[in-house]
């Protein structure tokens, strides 16, 4: 019997020439950028379980939202508890905050998470039953700077990764009173158009009319063009706050589109909502979205503190990187591939392999005793940078040929120095960063002076090191000459 993966989920493989977005090294690259940017913005990592008591989502994400009403993976465990695979990360993080008293040391806390989410949706390109989200939740701050920071973080990540064809949509959906008044006006506007709306939007007319505004159906989209704008319903306080967010984004040079049709699918939002879309991903173009959700923690039994955040789909970010031809680093190559010939060399090689690895040098070895030619093929297949063949002769003389695979050149090196030589080959040094910086012009004197000081002290250190090197090289030369005599 052959087993197949369930519908709507996928494997992430070390290599997949047909579907590049499923290659592990691109995932690792994006995740490492996520961790770096979260650190730069002061967000700390949090992990919650992939399943929770179902009520957490049923009560807090919105009964009428798609992810709860249609897409929740609900199941009973053996103790007859009703559980759910998490469809999103915000409610679990709020649960973890209250349950673990994470705000006891201060009500300003910023968290990020990376992990799988589960939604029983109709699978298509860019939409999966298990997808992975990078999410952030900033707790305790109601300032427009916090809203702008949340947007800026996702924008900075996407541009750092190399994406350029992206649009930021922002909107203000006010508080509950604003939305209730707006819902009324929207329903009045939509009523005469009801027969012409899509079935999905007709179903939403009573339960969640706001969602009709961001319907993907073209007929609905034409109709809602003439709908009243929620921005005419927000109060003065909302407006001042929303304008300030826009000024802050302007000051950072981040372009955005104010889109009064953007309402987002989950119930907990108030005031600022946003989404970043890729202009070349087709229907599932939202790379990430979020907003402010000031009442959620209190509603869940926690303290009454404001919050804002977003969730971004890692699959879609990677697919956009590929669609926009962004350069992603190649899979790391092993530094050395060892080919032993015979039992003695095999024993020696296995010990050397461990020594290399304990010095953090990535190394592999042929364990099968196949012929050198075949083992070379394996070295090529794993894309080794260097190959070292060791046989009885090498063990006797204490020397072997280190072959550099890209150039095909070889160098005779002492077996005793393999670890040291490979360590030297693996080090690139901090000076490359200085060189990169030097290529950019300095806008002002202070920057240039600061840089000069840094380079100066680096050069001083280098001078001392060079002197030591010279000394050592002279000693080495002496040793070589002595041994030749
Ligand atoms: P969301 O808009 O439902 O928000 O999901 C966030 C992102 O996850 C989407 O923009 C999309 O990139 C990705 N995504 C969602 N569903 C799928 C799917 N079926 N397949 C692939 N990717 C998908 C939330 O989940 C909120 N919790 C975000 C948030 C955090 N708001 C405040 N804090």
């Amino acid at each position: 019997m052959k087993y197949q993966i369930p519908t709507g989920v996928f494997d992430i493989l070390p290599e997949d020439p047909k579907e590049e977005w499923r290659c592990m090294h691109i995932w690792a690259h994006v995740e490492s950028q996520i961790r770096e940017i979260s650190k730069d913005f002061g967000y700390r990592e949090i992990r919650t379980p992939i399943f929770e008591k179902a009520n957490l989502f049923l009560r807090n994400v919105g009964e009428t939202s798609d992810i709860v009403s249609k897409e929740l993976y609900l199941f009973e465990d053996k103790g007859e508890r009703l559980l759910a695979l998490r469809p999103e990360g915000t409610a679990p993080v709020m649960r973890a905050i209250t349950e673990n008293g994470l705000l006891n040391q201060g009500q300003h806390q910023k968290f990020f998470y990376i992990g799988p989410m589960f939604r029983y949706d109709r699978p298509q390109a860019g939409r999966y039953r298990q997808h992975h989200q990078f999410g952030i939740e900033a707790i305790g701050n109601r300032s427009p700077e916090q809203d702008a920071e949340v947007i800026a973080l996702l924008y900075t990540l996407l541009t750092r990764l190399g994406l350029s064809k992206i649009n930021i949509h922002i909107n203000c959906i006010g508080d509950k009173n604003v939305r209730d008044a707006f819902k009324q006006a929207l329903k009045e506007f939509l009523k005469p158009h009801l027969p012409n709306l899509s079935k999905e939007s007709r179903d939403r007319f009573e339960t969640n009319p706001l969602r009709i505004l961001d319907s993907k159906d073209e007929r609905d989209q034409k109709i809602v063009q003439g709908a009243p704008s929620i921005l005419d319903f927000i109060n003065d306080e909302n407006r001042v706050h929303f304008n300030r967010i826009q000024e802050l984004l302007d000051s950072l040079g981040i372009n955005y589109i104010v889109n009064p049709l953007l309402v987002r699918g989950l119930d907990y939002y108030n005031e600022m909502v946003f989404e970043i879309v890729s202009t070349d991903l087709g229907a599932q173009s939202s790379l990430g979205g979020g907003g402010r959700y000031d009442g959620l923690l209190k509603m869940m039994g926690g303290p009454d503190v404001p919050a804002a955040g977003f969730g971004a789909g890692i699959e879609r970010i990677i697919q956009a990187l590929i669609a926009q031809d962004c350069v992603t680093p190649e899979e790391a190559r092993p530094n050395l591939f060892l080919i032993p010939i015979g039992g003695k060399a095999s024993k020696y090689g296995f010990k050397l392999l461990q020594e290399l690895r304990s010095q953090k040098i990535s190394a592999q070895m042929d364990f099968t005793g196949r012929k050198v030619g075949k083992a070379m093929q394996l070295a090529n297949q794993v894309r080794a940078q260097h190959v070292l063949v060791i046989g009885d002769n090498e063990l006797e003389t204490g020397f072997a040929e280190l072959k550099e695979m890209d150039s095909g050149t070889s160098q005779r090196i002492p077996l005793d120095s393999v670890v040291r030589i490979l360590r030297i080959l693996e080090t690139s040094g901090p000076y490359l960063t200085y060189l990169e910086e030097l290529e950019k012009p300095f806008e002002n004197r202070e920057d240039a002076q600061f840089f000069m000081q840094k380079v100066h002290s680096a050069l001083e250190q280098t001078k001392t090191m060079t002197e030591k090197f010279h000394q050592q090289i002279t000693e080495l030369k002496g040793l070589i000459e002595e041994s030749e005599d």
Side-chain angles (χ1 to χ4, degrees):
M1 167 155 182
K2 246 187 168 177
Y3 294 101
Q4 280 185 336
I5 196 164
T7 307
V9 295
F10 55 88
D11 297 312
I12 304 169
L13 306 167
E15 197 167 24
D16 188 341
K18 277 199 235 119
E19 298 208 54
E20 207 187 336
W21 70 271
R22 303 193 316 171
C23 288
M24 193 56 228
H25 68 276
I26 307 186
W27 282 75
H29 165 62
V30 171
E31 285 173 19
S32 90
Q33 293 289 318
I34 287 173
R35 285 176 206 286
E36 204 160 286
I37 203 146
S38 301
K39 177 175 68 65
D40 295 346
F41 278 73
Y43 287 73
R44 295 156 77 206
E45 187 161 5
I46 186 165
R47 292 190 195 185
T48 62
I50 62 161
F51 64 86
E52 297 269 357
K53 292 187 181 157
N55 264 343
L56 177 71
F57 303 110
L58 296 173
R59 292 213 187 116
N60 300 302
V61 175
E63 280 169 333
T64 56
S65 69
D66 285 351
I67 68 171
V68 166
S69 65
K70 299 189 207 155
E71 298 166 8
L72 204 59
Y73 272 93
L74 275 176
F75 62 99
E76 246 180 35
D77 71 2
K78 289 189 176 145
E80 294 179 359
R81 297 171 197 93
L82 189 60
L83 302 172
L85 293 185
R86 66 177 179 199
E88 63 101 51
T90 311
V93 171
M94 297 308 118
R95 194 244 341 115
I97 288 174
T98 36
E99 195 167 354
N100 297 291
L102 296 187
L103 299 184
N104 292 349
Q105 286 115 22
Q107 302 224 316
H108 288 216
Q109 303 269 352
K110 305 202 283 191
F111 303 97
F112 82 93
Y113 49 88
I114 300 174
M117 307 291 163
F118 306 86
R119 300 181 181 184
Y120 187 83
D121 201 349
R122 195 166 41 81
Q124 53 175 275
R127 191 157 78 192
Y128 309 97
R129 291 190 173 161
Q130 170 179 293
H131 72 277
H132 298 75
Q133 266 187 36
F134 159 45
I136 65 159
E137 314 294 353
I139 318 295
N141 199 317
R142 235 201 83 74
S143 68
E145 281 79 1
Q146 184 59 72
D147 299 62
E149 179 189 87
V150 166
I151 300 170
L153 196 161
L154 184 54
Y155 170 81
T156 314
L157 171 72
L158 299 176
T159 48
R160 246 190 220 182
L161 285 168
L163 292 175
S164 54
K165 294 179 205 150
I166 50 175
N167 283 332
I168 303 179
H169 294 251
I170 61 171
N171 193 19
C172 175
I173 57 168
D175 56 23
K176 191 169 175 316
N177 291 338
V178 167
R179 284 193 299 282
D180 285 346
F182 175 67
K183 258 184 217 165
Q184 220 38 53
L186 181 65
K187 281 174 80 177
E188 267 165 40
F189 166 81
L190 288 173
K191 216 173 208 163
H193 298 285
L194 259 181
N196 300 322
L197 285 174
S198 64
K199 157 115 185 38
E200 205 175 15
S201 288
R202 282 202 304 276
D203 291 345
R204 281 178 170 157
F205 183 76
E206 285 304 338
T207 54
N208 196 351
L210 289 191
R211 289 307 311 278
I212 299 176
L213 292 178
D214 61 10
S215 160
K216 295 270 182 297
D217 187 287
E218 273 182 26
R219 279 170 311 165
D220 297 350
Q221 284 177 350
K222 267 200 195 122
I223 293 170
V224 299
Q225 285 304 323
S229 165
I230 196 160
L231 292 174
D232 293 330
F233 286 72
I234 58 177
N235 61 36
D236 289 348
E237 201 190 318
N238 297 158
R239 197 176 313 280
V240 170
H241 190 102
F242 191 46
N243 286 343
R244 182 76 189 123
I245 297 172
Q246 293 175 56
E247 281 167 23
L248 289 163
L249 293 175
D250 290 340
S251 74
L252 302 183
I254 297 180
N255 295 326
Y256 52 85
I257 300 161
V258 175
N259 177 1
L261 298 178
L262 178 71
V263 289
R264 309 259 316 129
L266 319 173
D267 271 8
Y268 45 62
Y269 293 112
N270 68 298
E271 298 204 28
M272 186 280 286
V273 288
F274 83 103
E275 230 161 74
I276 302 191
V277 298
S278 163
T279 53
D280 53 8
L281 271 197
Q284 305 305 318
S285 61
S286 173
L287 298 178
R292 183 159 278 293
Y293 53 93
D294 291 337
L296 185 60
L297 252 174
K298 182 165 179 241
M299 190 169 97
M300 291 176 56
D304 186 8
V305 286
F310 69 70
I314 300 182
E315 294 68 12
R316 292 188 194 173
I317 292 177
I318 292 175
Q319 286 166 358
L321 286 178
I322 291 165
Q324 295 188 21
D325 261 337
C326 299
V327 185
T328 52
E330 284 192 357
E331 191 182 358
R333 297 170 62 181
N335 195 337
L336 183 70
F337 192 88
L338 273 173
I339 303 178
I341 310 170
K344 234 170 130 189
S346 210
K347 258 190 186 164
Y348 180 90
F350 196 65
K351 271 181 77 182
L352 179 58
L353 186 67
Q354 178 64 10
E355 206 182 321
L356 286 160
R357 289 169 171 173
S358 60
Q359 296 285 331
K360 296 189 180 164
I361 296 165
S362 63
Q364 296 191 33
M365 176 173 141
D366 175 40
F367 289 156
T368 59
R370 71 191 88 194
K371 294 234 160 65
V372 174
K374 285 263 179 243
M376 273 290 186
Q377 280 175 13
L378 191 59
N380 266 322
Q381 195 189 316
V382 300
R383 298 168 53 253
Q385 298 174 59
H386 304 98
V387 168
L388 196 70
V389 181
I390 307 175
D392 290 343
N393 186 25
E394 281 75 13
L395 290 180
E396 255 163 50
T397 58
F399 281 85
E401 296 280 328
L402 181 72
K403 182 169 179 185
E404 203 204 55
M405 296 299 273
D406 289 345
S407 63
T409 54
S410 293
Q411 197 173 345
R412 204 170 119 85
I413 61 164
L415 280 180
D416 286 349
S417 312
V418 171
V419 177
R420 200 166 178 193
I421 286 171
L422 286 168
R423 265 177 67 111
I424 293 170
L425 288 174
E426 211 163 67
T427 323
S428 57
Y431 300 103
L432 289 178
T433 321
Y434 290 134
L435 279 177
E436 272 172 26
E437 281 302 319
L438 261 183
E439 278 168 17
K440 301 179 213 152
F442 285 98
E443 301 275 326
N444 61 55
R445 233 181 103 144
E446 286 73 22
D447 277 3
Q449 261 175 353
F450 178 76
F451 183 75
M452 247 176 57
Q453 273 171 9
K454 283 272 164 220
V455 176
H456 194 76
S457 73
L459 285 177
E460 282 297 313
Q461 279 178 25
T462 320
K463 223 170 102 189
T464 326
M465 270 162 58
T466 319
E467 277 161 13
K468 267 195 188 158
F469 274 141
H470 271 300
Q471 211 180 329
Q472 281 178 346
I473 285 171
T474 320
E475 281 170 21
L476 284 174
K477 268 190 189 154
L479 271 174
I480 292 169
E481 277 164 13
E482 256 175 45
S483 67
E484 277 172 355
D485 284 347

